[in-house]
Amino acid sequence: MTHLKTLETPELILVKRIPDAFKAQVDRIAEAIIYLYTESRRLTKDQAAKVGLTGPQLSVVKILEEIGDLSLSDLSERIRAQNSTVTGIVDRMEREGLVDRKRSADDRRVVHIRLTDKGAKLARSLSFEPFEIFRGAFENALSPQELLQLLTLMDKLATYVRSETDGRDVRAASGK
Amino acid sequence: MTHLKTLETPELILVKRIPDAFKAQVDRIAEAIIYLYTESRRLTKDQAAKVGLTGPQLSVVKILEEIGDLSLSDLSERIRAQNSTVTGIVDRMEREGLVDRKRSADDRRVVHIRLTDKGAKLARSLSFEPFEIFRGAFENALSPQELLQLLTLMDKLATYVRSETDGRDVRAASGK
DNA sequence: GATAAATGTTTCGTGTGCGAACTAATTCGC
DNA sequence: GCGAATTAGTTCGCACACGAAACATTTATC
């Protein structure tokens, strides 16, 4: 139980109080975001380690199982990483015999990544879902109304940030 | 968006409707968290690059400026990384002449990391604050009431997750 | 006070993660 | 058509990031 650092006494709200309280609130929210992110990553990694995979590799296995074969670029977009990063991940998975590469016939630049039998078998044995880790927390910590509130607020935030950074962002240019 | 794997039996449909909506909401929130996190990281990195630093190095400089000398372990805790990671970061910063190491006199196991003159000068030239990046978004996208709402909800979430993972987590044992 | 347990740091091996430069294949401009 | 710009993927160099093991120094235990 993190004791709420009761955000400051009314009588002091004169000049600097509002900005200060604002700053403290933002910091706390930012910390929470970072905490939730890193914790979910850690848990994913633990799950993956149980079957001899890394976190990103587990994501790749599940995505390929759910969607089917994907080009490397599409895969990169899915796991929000650069092509050069995914090349390495796929290299190591190929070495382990979990996936293989097949050059596309229509466009000989693209490479399709697909699960091998071994990879597919592994995928079926996994109950993992990307955000499953959050689900318990959301379900137990928040009421349905609160969940909806949170969704609305996060959406506003994300939309705002996206609108601010769009245009100067290389990847976002594609429009997704 | 995320397509639903329908393998439900007819009689379960009634009960499953609500969970499906729930799942979709959770996924959206999780995506927003991930998006905000990665975007803030990217912006931090850009800021840091302007003065020839990496993201983590910028954090170290600002922390040392604000708090003063720190042991490597304390520094690790501050930036939420393992000691072995921070050893590398400090190595590279030492090579650049931004910090140096000094063995403690009381406990010769510990190493104090401190800014050199060069590092301190750099620190003073930086207006950066860790969560500054979020501040504009929070200020412009949300009303004060919404901000407070969001803080409350995120606190609940973080507290819940923390209580769940505490005990089985090595690092968290210290209790912050 | 010698041995054992704990603590702080480093070393090592592996796996991301990114941007820049490169190659090969495709499309655009004219 | 044909050269120029684009696009898909890889390679390279660097900087995290983590866990396990090694190492040094305290502290605890007897």
Side-chain angles (χ1 to χ4, degrees):
Chain A
M1 62 150 190
T2 41
H3 71 293
L4 283 183
K5 208 174 72 171
T6 54
L7 23 123
E8 299 324 329
T9 50
E11 72 257 325
L12 289 179
I13 300 180
L14 288 176
V15 194
K16 288 191 64 181
R17 278 296 147 188
I18 291 168
D20 280 356
F22 172 74
K23 178 181 181 308
Q25 285 181 23
V26 169
D27 283 5
R28 291 261 308 274
I29 294 171
E31 268 167 23
I33 289 176
I34 292 168
Y35 173 72
L36 290 173
Y37 175 87
T38 54
E39 193 60 22
S40 85
R41 232 176 120 108
R42 199 182 64 76
L43 291 172
T44 302
K45 197 173 171 181
D46 286 354
Q47 286 284 319
K50 287 181 188 166
V51 291
L53 294 178
T54 65
Q57 287 174 8
L58 177 54
S59 300
V60 168
V61 164
K62 289 309 272 184
I63 287 170
L64 291 180
E65 186 200 23
E66 190 181 327
I67 309 184
D69 303 0
L70 279 178
S71 75
L72 189 129
S73 297
D74 289 344
L75 192 52
S76 301
E77 202 172 312
R78 282 273 167 184
I79 67 175
R80 293 171 178 281
Q82 301 299 322
N83 285 352
S84 54
T85 300
V86 178
T87 294
I89 295 171
V90 170
D91 281 350
R92 288 180 287 274
M93 292 179 75
E94 197 171 15
R95 191 212 301 153
E96 297 297 322
L98 297 170
V99 300
D100 59 14
R101 288 173 158 95
K102 206 189 75 177
R103 212 93 214 180
S104 165
D106 352 325
D107 186 338
R108 294 186 44 72
R109 287 170 306 180
V110 339
V111 172
H112 293 299
I113 317 296
R114 55 181 188 185
L115 287 173
T116 59
D117 290 348
K118 180 180 173 185
K121 215 172 92 180
L122 180 60
R124 282 193 298 276
S125 79
L126 295 172
S127 58
F128 173 87
E129 285 220 40
F131 305 137
E132 185 179 293
I133 282 142
F134 283 125
R135 220 160 284 152
F138 286 132
E139 195 161 8
N140 294 311
L142 304 181
S143 72
Q145 293 88 342
E146 288 176 324
L147 188 68
L148 196 53
Q149 260 183 24
L150 181 58
L151 174 58
T152 307
L153 296 173
M154 294 300 280
D155 252 0
K156 277 192 188 181
L157 267 185
T159 302
Y160 176 80
V161 172
R162 205 166 273 126
S163 74
E164 282 295 295
T165 56
D166 250 25
R168 62 191 70 259
D169 185 18
V170 189
R171 297 178 60 78
S174 70
K176 172 179 228 129
Chain B
M1 182 177 47
T2 36
H3 89 281
L4 305 173
K5 264 202 308 195
T6 56
L7 40 88
E8 70 258 17
T9 50
E11 71 262 85
L12 286 181
I13 288 178
L14 272 178
V15 229
K16 277 208 73 175
R17 275 214 176 269
I18 293 164
D20 279 356
F22 170 75
K23 177 181 183 309
Q25 285 181 23
V26 170
D27 283 5
R28 290 257 309 272
I29 294 171
E31 270 167 21
I33 289 175
I34 292 168
Y35 173 72
L36 290 173
Y37 175 87
T38 53
E39 194 60 22
S40 84
R41 232 176 120 108
R42 198 180 65 75
L43 291 172
T44 302
K45 198 174 169 181
D46 287 354
Q47 286 283 320
K50 287 181 188 166
V51 291
L53 295 177
T54 65
Q57 287 174 9
L58 177 53
S59 301
V60 168
V61 165
K62 288 309 271 183
I63 287 171
L64 290 181
E65 186 201 22
E66 189 180 328
I67 308 185
D69 304 359
L70 279 178
S71 75
L72 189 128
S73 297
D74 289 344
L75 191 52
S76 301
E77 202 172 313
R78 282 274 167 183
I79 68 176
R80 292 171 179 280
Q82 302 298 322
N83 285 352
S84 52
T85 300
V86 178
T87 293
I89 295 171
V90 170
D91 281 350
R92 288 179 288 274
M93 293 180 73
E94 199 171 14
R95 191 211 301 151
E96 296 298 322
L98 296 170
V99 300
D100 58 13
R101 289 173 158 95
K102 204 190 78 178
R103 212 92 213 179
S104 164
D106 354 322
D107 186 337
R108 293 184 44 72
R109 288 170 304 181
V110 340
V111 172
H112 292 300
I113 318 295
R114 54 180 188 185
L115 288 174
T116 60
D117 290 347
K118 180 179 173 185
K121 215 173 92 182
L122 180 60
R124 281 193 300 275
S125 80
L126 294 172
S127 60
F128 173 87
E129 283 220 40
F131 305 136
E132 186 179 293
I133 281 141
F134 282 126
R135 220 159 285 154
F138 285 131
E139 196 162 5
N140 294 312
L142 303 182
S143 72
Q145 293 87 342
E146 287 176 327
L147 188 68
L148 193 54
Q149 259 185 23
L150 181 57
L151 174 58
T152 307
L153 296 174
M154 293 301 280
D155 248 2
K156 278 192 186 181
L157 268 184
T159 301
Y160 176 81
V161 171
R162 206 166 274 128
S163 75
E164 281 296 294
T165 55
D166 251 25
R168 63 192 70 258
D169 184 18
V170 190
R171 298 178 58 77
S174 71
K176 176 184 221 129

